[in-house]
Amino acid sequence: ELKVEQNPLFLSMQEGKNYTIYCNYSTTSDRLYWYRQDPGKSLESLFVLLSNGAVKQEGRLMASLDTKARLSTLHITAAVHDLSATYFCAVENKLIFGTGTRLQVFP
Amino acid sequence: NAGVTQTPKFQVLKTGQSMTLQCAQDMNHEYMSWYRQDPGMGLRLIHYSVGAGITDQGEVPNGYNVSRSTTEDFPLRLLSAAPSQTSVYFCASSRNLAGLHANSPLHFGNGTRLTVT
């Protein structure tokens, strides 16, 4: 059974700081997705990582994938309040989601 | 472009009642799926379909039925509602999850908030 674990589950960080969210999964997969969800809203696709070593960046967010370690990271650089949301990773194989990381950025 | 449309947005049911959550997409996507989202548990896959006439179970299929008679529609049926089915339900679609369209992420609907009393 595929398991997808994210940590931390909750992250409170100050504006301007850097941090990394981790996504570990239990079975082989070449594809991983990151989504963002604002409170009370639907999910929005952030990144699609298709192969080992893939790295994608959009603004202050950068995602990477290490399929050998079964690990993806979402790095936040110089956080701003607008990044406050819940972030989910999802692994292919029917797209199983992690439990999410709720990020709060404060001044 | 409507994308993925879910109806209703809110629903309250009594225990034992049945109902159907509607999901339609206008992007000619082959893959469609249903998730439920509960606090602290992320999204859990209920059922999915890789094309018209083909459905399969996800992580938490019990108490739910689906069918896929057309490419556009993927309704989710609650046979006999229980309080444990109180949740937010999301429908999602994608061109495909493998092969030529591997780069296609899931497109989500706006969700249906269901309360079972």
Side-chain angles (χ1 to χ4, degrees), chain A residues 68-79:
Chain A
K68 295 178 182 177
R70 299 178 186 171
L71 171 69
S72 179
T73 61
L74 181 66
H75 187 73
I76 303 155
T77 301

Side-chain angles (χ1 to χ4, degrees), chain A residues 6 8-15 17-21 35-39 46 60-61 74-88 99-106:
Chain A
Q6 286 182 237
L9 297 182
F10 180 76
L11 177 57
S12 181
M13 57 189 299
Q14 196 170 15
E15 281 187 333
K17 299 292 188 183
N18 305 332
Y19 207 84
T20 300
I21 299 171
Y35 290 85
R36 168 183 172 142
Q37 185 181 36
D38 292 304
L46 291 174
R60 300 174 187 274
L61 300 178
L74 181 66
H75 187 73
I76 303 155
T77 301
V80 294
H81 179 70
D82 285 351
L83 290 178
S84 297
T86 299
Y87 294 85
F88 293 94
T99 50
T101 297
R102 185 178 167 202
L103 172 66
Q104 278 189 340
V105 181
F106 59 92

Side-chain angles (χ1 to χ4, degrees), chain A residues 1-2 9 31 33 35 37 40-45 47-48 50 56 86 88 92-100, chain B residues 31 35 37 40-43 45 48 57-59 90 96-99 102-111 113:
Chain A
E1 180 187 346
L2 173 61
L9 297 182
R31 277 171 249 168
Y33 305 79
Y35 290 85
Q37 185 181 36
K41 303 292 187 182
S42 187
L43 283 83
E44 170 191 354
S45 176
F47 300 109
V48 180
L50 293 177
K56 289 199 173 178
T86 299
F88 293 94
E92 195 218 352
N93 195 359
K94 297 184 265 188
L95 277 185
I96 302 298
F97 278 74
T99 50
Chain B
Y31 182 91
Y35 291 87
Q37 184 174 29
M41 302 197 70
L43 280 83
L45 181 65
Y48 66 98
Q57 296 181 348
E59 301 169 274
F90 286 100
N96 204 321
L97 281 183
N103 198 28
S104 176
L106 280 177
H107 297 261
F108 282 84
N110 288 328
R113 187 174 294 273

Side-chain angles (χ1 to χ4, degrees), chain B:
Chain B
N1 232 357
V4 179
T5 302
Q6 288 184 238
T7 56
K9 293 183 179 179
F10 301 94
Q11 183 71 49
V12 179
L13 291 177
K14 294 188 187 302
T15 298
Q17 287 184 314
S18 62
M19 80 158 294
T20 299
L21 307 186
Q22 301 292 343
C23 176
Q25 51 91 9
D26 62 358
M27 298 172 282
N28 201 31
H29 283 172
E30 293 184 16
Y31 182 91
M32 296 185 75
S33 54
W34 277 102
Y35 291 87
R36 60 177 288 173
Q37 184 174 29
D38 303 294
M41 302 197 70
L43 280 83
R44 291 183 291 169
L45 181 65
I46 305 171
H47 286 284
Y48 66 98
S49 168
V50 297
I54 307 169
T55 64
D56 207 346
Q57 296 181 348
E59 301 169 274
V60 288
N62 292 342
Y64 307 95
N65 274 357
V66 292
S67 60
R68 185 93 180 270
S69 56
T70 67
T71 299
E72 295 78 20
D73 300 298
F74 191 43
L76 178 72
R77 296 184 189 86
L78 280 71
L79 308 173
S80 178
S84 61
Q85 293 178 305
T86 294
S87 188
V88 179
Y89 291 85
F90 286 100
C91 178
S93 74
S94 174
R95 283 190 291 178
N96 204 321
L97 281 183
L100 295 177
H101 302 299
N103 198 28
S104 176
L106 280 177
H107 297 261
F108 282 84
N110 288 328
T112 295
R113 187 174 294 273
L114 175 68
T115 301
V116 183
T117 61

